[in-house]
Amino acid sequence: MKKKIFIGIIALIVIFYIISALRYESQPKVGLIRIEGTITDYLDTVSIISEATKDESIKAVVIDVDSPGGAVGASQEIYRAIEKLREKKPVIVSMGNVAASGGYYISTPANVIYSNPGTITGSIGVIIQHVDVSEILNKFGVKVNTIKSGANKDILYPTKPLLPEQKALLEKTVMDVYDQFLDAIVRYRPIKKDVLKSYADGRVFSGNEAKALGLVDKIGNIQDAISEAKKLGKLKEDAPVIELKPKKPLLDELMNSKFGMEKVKSGIYYMMSF
């Protein structure tokens, strides 16, 4: 008899928990997405943004950006995902310590951009670097034989100097991607492209300077951004805020826990970056 009562109590607790969870899931809320560090891998971030786009209970999204930039392709993937999110619901960006280069690029599609007064932002530009170690190799008598399908297949290899015509090719590519960067900004920012060009030379700005130039909309912190999201999403002041994180298999979670083995990611060289 006691065993049946105990099982009944447990069942009621489980049912209550499930009902509470379902209520919370369907309750109108603000979604919070954090984008931190160098922008390289983008699949998890795009997946989270896609989840926020589809979830009808999420009425507005705050994106907390704290990034110095990163790879061009990854930044453009995230930018496009945020564009699609904006089509469905308000998006508010909150800039942390730094939101520069690619970190600024991904922020521009937001309906409203908040920045702290001392946030480092801007750094609008594109860069490719070439390291030439051929003279060092020659000094030690090291010869590198390269078999290639075309004259420019080894254009950025460090074992040879960069030829003038190769430098011209790279400059053309950099300027094309730079122009894409400018177009991405003026699509959503109240700035004319020719005016933007006058200061989009790679320099950085404080949050206050960025606001004066129209690169950000308002000075404030993440709490201000959340309040703005609730207002634009037509939510109550006490509406919940849920942080969205990538869903990982249990094995991955265990591997990443303090009890598991630390996974080491191999370094990847990105030829061109924001």
Side-chain angles (χ1 to χ4, degrees), residues 108-126:
T108 56
N111 296 87
V112 183
I113 299 177
Y114 273 86
S115 169
N116 288 291
T119 295
I120 298 301
T121 187
S123 189
I124 299 165
V126 185

Side-chain angles (χ1 to χ4, degrees), residues 160-173:
K160 58 182 284 295
L162 195 63
L163 299 174
E165 57 269 27
Q166 292 178 323
K167 184 179 179 182
L169 287 173
L170 292 172
E171 286 175 345
K172 182 180 178 182
T173 301

Side-chain angles (χ1 to χ4, degrees), residues 148-156 160 163 165-166 169:
K148 53 188 178 180
S149 59
N152 295 307
K153 184 59 183 173
D154 60 348
I155 194 168
L156 280 175
K160 58 182 284 295
L163 299 174
E165 57 269 27
Q166 292 178 323
L169 287 173

Side-chain angles (χ1 to χ4, degrees), residues 192-245:
K192 291 185 178 180
K193 191 172 180 180
D194 57 342
V195 174
L196 177 61
K197 275 186 177 181
S198 67
Y199 53 80
D201 55 9
R203 74 184 78 173
V204 297
F205 308 102
S206 69
N208 282 338
E209 292 172 323
K211 184 178 182 300
L213 293 169
L215 294 173
V216 305
D217 298 300
K218 298 183 179 183
I219 298 298
N221 64 7
I222 192 165
Q223 292 300 325
D224 296 312
I226 289 171
S227 295
E228 184 86 19
K230 290 179 179 179
K231 183 173 73 174
L232 295 181
K234 298 178 181 178
L235 295 166
K236 296 179 180 178
E237 289 184 9
D238 61 349
V241 178
I242 180 170
E243 183 175 350
L244 303 176
K245 297 181 179 181

